[in-house]
Structures are given as C-alpha cells and as structure tokens.
Amino acid sequence: MKKLLLFILVISCTKSVAKEGDLYNFMWLDQDKKVYVLQNKVYQKKRTTYMDIGCISNLTGKYQETNGVHFNIGHYLNEEWAIEIFYKQYFHQNNDTYNSVLKINATEPFVRRINQMYGALAVWSPFYGKINTFNHIFYFDWSFGVGPAILSAESNRKTVLDPASSGSYESEKYIGAQIKTTLKFHINSNWHLGINLSNTTFDAPGPIDNTKKLRHTRDAMLSIGFSF
C-alpha cells in the first residue's frame, strides 16, 4: 500500500513539473507564437461629434498668474481619426515674482502674455481601455493632436528698457503649431471628462533686438464634454 501511494505521488509531481516546463517553453522559446487580447469597445467614436468646455492653467509664465477657459468641437471620421477646432481665452495677473523684481530691482521684467488662441487639430486616438476603481469600471480614450494655431498676444518688448514708458503693452499676433494629448474618461455614452496637456510653439522676438526665436507656451486643462 505504501509503495502504491509513493508511486502515485511521484507520478503527480512529474506531471506538475512537465506542465510548468511546457508553459516555459511556449512563452520563451517559441518566438512564432503571438497572443492577442481583444476588448470590445463600449463607446464607439466613429461618426460622432463632441464638444468640450473647461478651465486652463498656464505652466510657462514666469511673471504672470495665467488662467483661462477653453472650448473645442470635433468630429470623428472613424474610430481613430478626428478633426477638431479650438478656442482659448486667457486672464492674467502679475505674480509674486513680478512684484519682487519690480520692488527690489526697481525695474519691470519682460512680459509676453497670450490673450487668445484658436486653431485646428488632427486628432489620433490609438489607445482605449478601462480601469476598475471602487468596484466601478471607467472607460477611457487616449488621443494625440497636432495642428496650426493663431495667437493674439501683447508684450512690453518695446518699452521694457525705457523706465519712462514702463507698464505699456503693445498688441502682437503670431502663427504657431500646437501639439496636445488628451485622456478622456467616459461617464456614459454622451458625457465625458477630459485631462489635457498642450504645447504651442511660435516664432517671436525678445526685448533686446528683433531677432526671432522659438517660444513655447504650455497649458494644463480640465474639461467636461458631450458627444452625440
């Protein structure tokens, strides 16, 4: 009886080791094997139109506290590609750094601030998925956009070096290029929340001379949107 139990135990262990070995060989030694995981899309995007509205926090202003609002509307041609137009309105206030420079050095720093921005983007949405949080599943899309932008700005470039003319701003206008990434969480089939980061590049002169160089302005945005 003892010999029979020992034999059964040896056979069981041998089978377990063989299964682990087969799995190891399949995963690491057979390079021709590929596994695809398919996930049905709960929220289809093809031929849908969406609108978003939200708030802006500018990340690049050294001497300004800059916030704003943004609005965009877009249309998906298929599940991955969409065309979008956007508009941004900014509001500015001198920050502590500006006031410190003005008080300690008795001079005004160079400031260029964007008042409005609008443009169009080609949007690519290659990633989608879902997150299980607090026993609730949230579906999301991750997209990238690129396109031209027109910036209405103002600066004290021409007067900052003249103490008698300090505080005077002149209007400026630039054509630039914007790239944007968006993480969109679906509340239901119509409503969604968005987290956006954008970088807009434009060519503009500094306060010393008229030589132009590439400038950047970056925005972090939160939005709520509607799709139909």
Side-chain angles (χ1 to χ4, degrees):
M1 186 65 179
K2 291 182 178 180
K3 291 183 178 180
L4 179 60
L5 292 175
L6 181 60
F7 176 75
I8 294 174
L9 181 60
V10 171
I11 292 297
S12 300
C13 294
T14 304
K15 288 184 177 180
S16 297
V17 173
K19 287 181 180 179
E20 290 180 0
D22 291 344
L23 179 61
Y24 177 84
N25 290 335
F26 172 77
M27 294 177 62
W28 297 100
L29 299 182
D30 193 345
Q31 300 297 323
D32 294 331
K33 299 294 183 182
K34 293 182 179 180
V35 178
Y36 296 90
V37 178
L38 299 179
Q39 174 184 319
N40 293 327
K41 285 188 177 181
V42 176
Y43 301 109
Q44 301 287 331
K45 299 189 293 293
K46 183 178 180 180
R47 297 194 184 115
T48 61
T49 300
Y50 61 91
M51 295 183 293
D52 300 306
I53 187 170
C55 57
I56 301 171
S57 178
N58 186 263
L59 305 177
T60 52
K62 293 181 180 180
Y63 304 107
Q64 299 287 293
E65 186 73 29
T66 301
N67 299 297
V69 294
H70 77 95
F71 172 80
N72 60 268
I73 181 170
H75 181 76
Y76 273 97
L77 306 175
N78 52 45
E79 281 299 314
E80 291 189 353
W81 288 97
I83 298 175
E84 178 181 303
I85 57 175
F86 67 89
Y87 174 82
K88 297 180 181 182
Q89 177 71 51
Y90 297 90
F91 309 100
H92 310 278
Q93 184 178 359
N94 296 335
N95 60 17
D96 291 340
T97 304
Y98 179 97
N99 295 327
S100 297
V101 171
L102 189 61
K103 184 176 181 179
I104 297 173
N105 298 333
T107 183
E108 184 182 16
F110 169 62
V111 174
R112 172 176 283 116
R113 50 198 187 194
I114 311 300
N115 293 324
Q116 295 176 342
M117 185 189 304
Y118 56 92
L121 301 173
V123 179
W124 179 44
S125 302
F127 304 115
Y128 66 94
K130 56 186 177 182
I131 300 174
N132 188 352
T133 305
F134 301 112
N135 293 325
H136 187 82
I137 296 177
F138 295 93
Y139 294 87
F140 67 89
D141 288 289
W142 186 11
S143 64
F144 304 89
V146 62
I150 297 176
L151 299 81
S152 296
E154 61 182 7
S155 79
N156 58 359
R157 182 178 67 87
K158 294 183 179 180
T159 61
V160 68
L161 299 180
D162 182 7
S165 303
S166 62
S168 177
Y169 287 81
E170 293 191 2
S171 298
E172 301 173 343
K173 201 159 190 176
Y174 302 101
I175 297 177
Q178 182 174 120
I179 57 174
K180 184 179 78 166
T181 182
T182 302
L183 197 59
K184 184 183 295 184
F185 293 91
H186 297 276
I187 301 174
N188 54 40
S189 58
N190 295 115
W191 293 95
H192 56 265
L193 297 174
I195 302 174
N196 313 268
L197 290 174
S198 70
N199 180 84
T200 306
T201 302
F202 59 100
D203 203 21
I208 305 300
D209 52 36
N210 290 322
T211 302
K212 292 184 176 182
K213 63 178 293 186
L214 292 180
R215 317 283 177 173
H216 304 276
T217 179
R218 300 180 182 89
D219 294 324
M221 297 167 283
L222 293 176
S223 62
I224 184 169
F226 183 79
S227 301
F228 57 94

